[in-house]
Amino acid sequence: MGQPPRLFGEGNSLVGLRPSSCRTYTACVKEQASAKQILREITTHSAEETIAFGRTLAELLTPPKLVLLRGDLGAGKTTLVKGIASAFEAAAEEEVTSPTFTLIHEYRGPQASLYHIDLYRIDTQRELDTLALDDLRSSESILLIEWGEKFSRFVGECDVEIVLKRMDENERRISVHRDCYSG
Ligand SMILES: Nc1ncnc2c1ncn2[C@@H]1O[C@H](COP(=O)(O)OP(=O)(O)OP(=O)(O)O)[C@@H](O)[C@H]1O
Ligand SMILES: [Mg+2]
């Protein structure tokens, strides 16, 4: 069995994850076909760096968009939204706080209305329905949803997925994906 082909190269703007464990050609091609296309990837070393990276994402997030923000508690999802909201001139960084209890924060800018949503405390479809998130979708809206992957419909509907991983106390690996995966 020869070496499996590499579909995505590092010189391309779309850098795919290399398959880790494909043993046969067929398995490898399948794995590559489902490889996540990474639009941007960075390691930050402070909250300020994550905010700065968030600012650079505005050009990718032209409305309408549904964005899933994935990562453990304290990974930096809300911190990233500070940068995104300030880039859209929708809120100053310090105005962006966690919607953990209020569930939805709205920030209106000249080009877009941002809705920062936290579904950590939402467990049932009925609770989700009470939020009426569909009413927030419009041609100018950007939904930035933390813990949205708990509900499969958001995985299906999402346009961009941003995954944050805590590597160390101040180090975060952040990757931006064109598609959304429940895995
Ligand atoms: N490189 C970094 N990027 C982002 N945040 C960092 C970084 N280093 C340290 N931090 C700290 O980690 C914390 C991230 O908190 P944040 O509220 O953004 O996380 P979260 O993913 O939204 O969590 P939750 O799921 O609880 O809402 C902040 O206290 C921030 O100062
Ligand atoms: Mg948060």
Side-chain angles (χ1 to χ4, degrees):
M1 193 70 57
Q3 275 291 96
R6 289 188 168 162
L7 296 182
F8 306 114
E10 253 146 28
N12 298 338
S13 56
L14 290 180
V15 178
L17 289 181
R18 281 215 191 82
S20 49
S21 60
C22 46
R23 290 201 194 110
T24 66
Y25 179 85
T26 311
C28 197
V29 168
K30 273 190 188 156
E31 200 171 334
Q32 283 178 328
S34 67
K36 298 181 180 190
Q37 290 189 344
I38 299 179
L39 300 171
R40 304 256 175 102
E41 200 168 21
I42 192 173
T43 299
T44 64
H45 301 89
S46 66
E48 290 68 30
E49 278 187 36
T50 294
I51 293 169
F53 179 65
R55 277 194 221 104
T56 70
L57 298 180
E59 63 180 14
L60 282 180
L61 301 181
T62 50
K65 289 279 183 303
L66 190 152
V67 181
L68 287 189
L69 297 164
R70 293 185 55 191
D72 292 339
L73 292 169
K77 303 180 292 295
T78 296
T79 303
L80 189 74
V81 173
K82 288 173 183 275
I84 296 170
S86 81
F88 279 101
E89 299 174 20
E93 288 163 20
E94 59 276 12
E95 287 169 345
V96 175
T97 56
S98 177
T100 303
F101 296 101
T102 40
L103 305 180
I104 304 172
H105 285 170
E106 179 179 352
Y107 306 106
R108 281 183 190 249
Q111 316 282 345
S113 294
L114 275 60
Y115 296 94
H116 182 199
I117 298 156
D118 190 339
L119 300 182
Y120 184 73
R121 300 164 74 85
I122 299 295
D123 290 318
T124 65
Q125 185 61 45
R126 185 186 288 229
E127 287 171 329
L128 183 65
D129 291 344
T130 63
L131 297 180
L133 297 185
D134 285 336
D135 296 351
L136 305 180
R137 308 286 309 261
S138 76
S139 55
E140 305 96 62
S141 79
I142 303 172
L143 273 59
L144 301 156
I145 309 182
E146 299 190 25
W147 301 101
E149 71 277 11
K150 287 165 69 175
F151 298 93
S152 58
R153 61 164 280 203
F154 294 126
V155 177
E157 289 175 17
C158 123
D159 302 297
V160 174
E161 178 181 73
I162 305 177
V163 180
L164 299 97
K165 286 197 181 117
R166 185 186 189 282
M167 312 304 286
D168 210 334
E169 190 181 346
N170 294 314
E171 191 175 309
R172 304 290 189 274
R173 189 95 189 126
I174 307 172
S175 52
V176 181
H177 305 258
R178 186 186 294 285
D179 298 306
C180 305
Y181 294 78
S182 54

